[in-house]
Amino acid sequence: MLVVTQFPPFPSPHLKVAYKGIIGACSEEAVLAVYPGCQLDPCETSENAVQAVESHGADRVVIPIENSLGGSFVENYDLINSHQLHIVGEVEVSTKFCLLARPGVKLEQLERVLGHPQALGQTKTFLGNLGVEKDIVIDDPYYAQLILSYKEETDLVIGTAEDHTGVIGSEKAVGLYTLHVVARGIQDGNKGSITRFWILARQMTGPSKRALYSLCEKALKMCIKPLQYL
């Protein structure tokens, strides 16, 4: 995993950082890259994560805003605009996707693959060649748990099909959920995808105004570029 931060990471055992997802989520990797040793505050949605900071339940929120293969997280731009938090930094995380399954399951046995919309969009070529059914899920680690636990907590039928179901995730999920890797580096392109996260706080502390201007300038360029094709 390659991590590039706008500001150097620093130990922060007393800082509580909110993010969308659970243990093993990509957002968690981004949080720990900037705030190693911090108190993690996993939230069900990005909205919940932002509200945690606004309500003083957390000190920072780390939220994805752009992926090099999947494009912008438009819903998160809207979320940021609808709240009064300040952008105090950014972090870029590069992760190579893996296809995970239960121990003993082989690649050719898979009939269905679960993945976040962004993950499915970034692995279209591999999954297309594999010829599997693709199902959109919101949180990959959560569904990795479902494959192991035989639960049917959503309208996606796991049940007796667990031996034919894989999930897109990182190798970190292997140790967390006792899965195994059936294929590595399944993302389109050779270098993996880079996801950019913004760090938000209630007060504008830490970075200089110049650094903040750089962040805003990048956001403006991303907004203007699509207009060139209209």
Side-chain angles (χ1 to χ4, degrees), residues 97-101 110-121 123 127 130 132-148 151 154-159 161-162 164-170 179 186:
F97 285 117
C98 297
L99 184 54
L100 312 174
L110 296 179
E111 298 176 359
R112 185 171 58 139
V113 171
L114 309 177
H116 186 277
Q118 283 274 343
L120 292 173
T123 55
L127 297 181
L130 192 60
V132 294
E133 178 185 349
K134 299 180 284 292
D135 279 324
I136 293 176
V137 297
I138 301 304
D139 202 318
D140 297 342
Y142 175 70
Y143 283 87
Q145 287 182 314
L146 285 185
I147 292 176
L148 291 179
K151 293 180 181 178
T154 70
D155 56 354
L156 293 176
V157 180
I158 304 296
E162 68 281 348
H164 304 289
T165 303
V167 62
I168 300 173
S170 66
L179 297 170
I186 65 173

Side-chain angles (χ1 to χ4, degrees), residues 159-221:
T160 58
E162 68 281 348
D163 284 334
H164 304 289
T165 303
V167 62
I168 300 173
S170 66
E171 288 205 46
K172 183 177 181 180
V174 174
L176 294 172
Y177 302 107
T178 323
L179 297 170
H180 83 117
V181 179
V182 294
R184 289 180 171 83
I186 65 173
Q187 70 286 333
D188 296 337
N190 298 321
K191 297 182 179 180
S193 65
I194 297 176
T195 302
R196 187 149 63 97
F197 296 80
W198 277 351
I199 304 165
L200 309 177
R202 290 183 298 275
Q203 296 181 344
M204 194 177 298
T205 58
S208 65
K209 291 183 179 179
R210 183 174 182 178
L212 287 172
Y213 175 81
S214 175
L215 294 178
C216 294
E217 185 179 32
K218 289 180 181 179
L220 181 60
K221 288 180 179 178

Side-chain angles (χ1 to χ4, degrees), residues 53-75:
V53 176
E54 286 189 325
S55 64
H56 294 256
D59 303 296
R60 301 283 190 278
V61 56
V62 175
I63 186 170
I65 53 127
E66 181 188 29
N67 179 269
S68 58
L69 294 178
S72 298
F73 292 76
V74 178
E75 66 280 8

